[in-house]
Amino acid sequence: MRAAVRNIKSAFRHQRNSYSVAFVRSRSHLIEGNSSSVYRQTGNAEIHRFLFPAIFISRVFSTDAAAKVNITVNKAGPLVEYERRIAAGELVDGDACQVGTLRELRRLYDEIVESADACRLERYAVPEKTVRNRWFWSRLMPRSSCSPVKGLYLYGGVGTGKTMLMDLFYDQLPSNWRKNRIHFHDFMLNVHSRLQRHKGVADPLEVVAGEISDEAVLLCLDEFMVTDVADALILNRLFRHLFSNGVILAATSNRAPDNLYEGGLQRDLFLPFIATLKERCVVHEIGSAVDYRKLTSAEQGFYFIGKDLSGLLKQKFEQLIGEHVASPQVVDVVMGRTLQVPLGANGCAYFSFEELCDKPLGAADYFGLFKNFHTLALEGVPDFGLHNRTAAYRFVTLVDVMYENRSRLLCTAEGSPHELFENIMTVSDAQQMAPRTSSRSRRNDDSDLCVDNELGFAKDRTISRLTEMNSKEYLEQHAEERQLSQQDANADALKVYKA
C-alpha cells in the first residue's frame, strides 16, 4: 500500500510540472472574468454519466491523447486532471471559482493520499457480526479514532459545478479504496432501512454507523439538504459515530451549514450537528454566479406547455415504447413497500401528476421507480402556490431523484419551469416584493403566494434542472446511455446463453 501511495504522489509531482503552463494559461483566462464558458465535446466520445451541462467530459480520450496518458498519471489528483482536460482540448475554458474549489479538493486529495494507511482506506473483508461485536466492546472500552484528515463541505448556487467537481475528485481515487459516492436522499433512505433491520439492538444508530464506516471511509454526499424532521433529529448522533469511526465526509449543498434545516421543527435539537459538521469539515463556498445548466441549447425537448395536451403526451409515450404494450405494473420500493405504476413498458412509465405528487409518496418511492424505469411521462404539472405546497415539495424531490439517475422526462405543464414556481418565494423575497400594480401583474392571484424558505430556496435548483433535462445535450446523453445499457444487457444475455 505504501508503494502505491508513493507512486500516486510521484505521479502527482510529475503531472503538476507537466501541466504548469496549461494551468497558467487557463487561470489567466479565468481571472480576466470570462465566466461565460463554452465547452466542446470530443468527437464520437461517450458523455460522462455524471454530465455537467456545459462541460462535456469524454470517458475515452482521443487516440493521440490516450497514447500519452497512462493510468498512474490519471490518478494524480483532481486539479491535475482538470488541467489535463484543458490541455487535451476536452475543456476549452473554465471558471475562476471552480479552480479555487479544485484547490480545496486537491488539499483533501493530498491529505487522504498521505494518510491512506492511517485512514485504513484499502478494502478488507469484514467478518460477520463484527459491527455488533464492536458495539459490545465499545461499551467496555470506549475509544475515539477520528480521521487525521478534515473533510470538505462544498456549497454554492445552483448549476455552478459542485457535483461535477466532486465526481472528478472521487474518480481520481483508487477503486480499491473504501469509498462511496451517493445522493443525500438515497443515503438517508439507506440509514432508515438499516435502523429498521437493527430494531432490537440497544443503540441501533451506533450499529448502523459501524456498518457504514466498514463499507466506506470516504463518504461523498451530493445535494446535502435537510427537510425531514426524522432526518434532522438523528444526524448529529449518526455523524458523531461516523466521525469517531474515522469517516471522512465530502459533501455538496446549495446551503451553507448555518442555513441547513432553517425554520424546521425542533431545529434547536439539530444545531449541534451544524457544530459537528463545521468541526470535522473545511467549509468552502463556490462563489460562481453562473448557472452552467442554462448554457445548454435549452431546446424544448419533451416539455409541453398548455392544457388539454393529454393526447399529445400519450402519443409521444407510445412512440417511445414502440411495439411494447403498456400495462399497470408494481415496483418494489424499500422495507416491503411497493409502488403502483399506472402504465409501464420498455423502461417508460406513465403517471398523472396527481398519482405521483398528490399522494403520500417520497424519495424512497421515486428511487424505486427509477431503478426500474429510465423515462417518465408526467401529465398535468400545475402552477405551484399555497394551495398545493405539499405537492410542490414532492415535485422538487421527484426532479432531484430523476436528475441523480439521469432519467428522461416527458411532461405537460401549465407553464415554463420559471412560471410554475412564480408564486413560491422565501421570506426575504416576499419582503422585497413591490406592491402589486396594474403594470406588475402575476399569472396567479397574490392570495396564492406561498412564503416558504425551504421551498423558495429549492425552486431555483428545480428550475435549473428542468431546463437542463429538456436540453438537446441532456437528451442525447440519455439516448447514448440507453444504447450502451442495451449493449451490456445483450452481452450478458449472450454469456448466459453460451454457459
Side-chain angles (χ1 to χ4, degrees), residues 8 11 21 32-33 44 50 62 84 86 108 112 185 206 216 223 261 279 345 356-357 367 391 402 414-415 477 496:
I8 292 171
V21 175
E32 286 168 8
N44 298 322
F50 298 109
S62 66
R84 188 204 64 76
I86 291 175
L108 179 57
I112 288 176
H185 274 317
E206 186 172 1
E223 297 291 354
Y261 197 51
E279 178 188 342
L356 206 51
C357 296
F367 273 110
M402 290 192 72
E414 290 187 5
Q477 182 221 2
V496 171

Side-chain angles (χ1 to χ4, degrees), residues 184 188 192 225-236 270:
F184 181 74
M188 290 310 300
H192 288 295
M225 178 180 64
V226 187
T227 57
D228 186 271
V229 64
D231 293 346
L233 294 180
I234 66 171
L235 276 174
N236 187 48
F270 176 77

Side-chain angles (χ1 to χ4, degrees), residues 101-120:
T101 302
L102 277 161
R103 292 195 191 98
E104 247 339 297
L105 287 166
R106 184 179 65 178
R107 184 274 310 168
L108 179 57
Y109 175 89
D110 288 346
E111 290 183 11
I112 288 176
V113 169
E114 186 72 33
S115 307
D117 286 346
C119 294
R120 298 171 291 116

Side-chain angles (χ1 to χ4, degrees), residues 210-434:
E211 288 181 344
I212 293 170
S213 55
D214 276 330
E215 294 165 7
V217 173
L218 175 64
L219 184 60
C220 294
L221 296 181
D222 192 29
E223 297 291 354
F224 205 110
M225 178 180 64
V226 187
T227 57
D228 186 271
V229 64
D231 293 346
L233 294 180
I234 66 171
L235 276 174
N236 187 48
R237 285 188 58 236
L238 173 66
F239 273 90
R240 279 199 174 277
H241 287 314
L242 289 174
F243 290 140
S244 292
N245 290 342
V247 167
I248 304 164
L249 174 67
T252 70
S253 179
N254 292 139
R255 291 207 153 193
D258 290 330
N259 295 333
L260 287 170
Y261 197 51
E262 194 172 34
L265 292 171
Q266 297 180 284
R267 189 172 187 261
D268 56 319
L269 299 178
F270 176 77
L271 293 178
F273 168 69
I274 295 176
T276 300
L277 185 65
K278 290 161 80 173
E279 178 188 342
R280 292 304 312 159
C281 293
V282 172
V283 177
H284 178 81
E285 180 181 11
I286 179 168
S288 178
V290 179
D291 183 348
Y292 288 96
R293 296 189 190 118
K294 294 179 181 177
L295 298 184
T296 57
S297 64
E299 293 184 3
Q300 189 178 32
F302 293 107
Y303 190 105
F304 306 108
I305 299 173
K307 297 183 179 181
D308 303 321
L309 295 176
S310 173
L312 175 62
L313 188 64
K314 285 177 179 171
Q315 179 188 349
K316 296 292 183 183
F317 176 75
E318 288 168 3
Q319 288 173 1
L320 289 176
I321 65 174
E323 297 177 356
H324 298 265
V325 178
S327 60
Q329 297 186 24
V330 178
V331 297
D332 293 324
V333 184
V334 289
M335 294 180 280
R337 286 171 50 198
T338 59
L339 176 66
Q340 304 291 325
V341 180
L343 287 174
N346 196 27
C348 304
Y350 192 104
F351 282 84
S352 69
F353 179 84
E354 290 77 13
E355 289 167 322
L356 206 51
C357 296
D358 266 344
K359 290 184 177 179
L361 302 177
D365 304 281
Y366 302 147
F367 273 110
L369 178 64
F370 293 107
K371 282 176 183 173
N372 292 273
F373 296 93
H374 56 73
T375 297
L376 169 66
L378 187 62
E379 181 184 334
V381 181
D383 290 333
F384 296 113
L386 188 61
H387 73 288
N388 60 358
R389 178 172 63 176
T390 304
Y393 265 109
R394 292 196 189 103
F395 182 69
V396 166
T397 302
L398 174 66
V399 172
D400 283 345
V401 173
M402 290 192 72
Y403 189 84
E404 173 68 14
N405 285 275
R406 309 308 294 174
S407 303
R408 177 171 53 185
L409 175 67
L410 293 76
C411 74
T412 60
E414 290 187 5
S416 69
H418 277 282
E419 291 168 341
L420 293 181
F421 288 93
E422 197 175 25
N423 275 344
I424 306 290
M425 57 187 64
T426 62
V427 173
S428 175
D429 291 337
Q431 290 171 343
Q432 295 173 18
M433 191 176 72

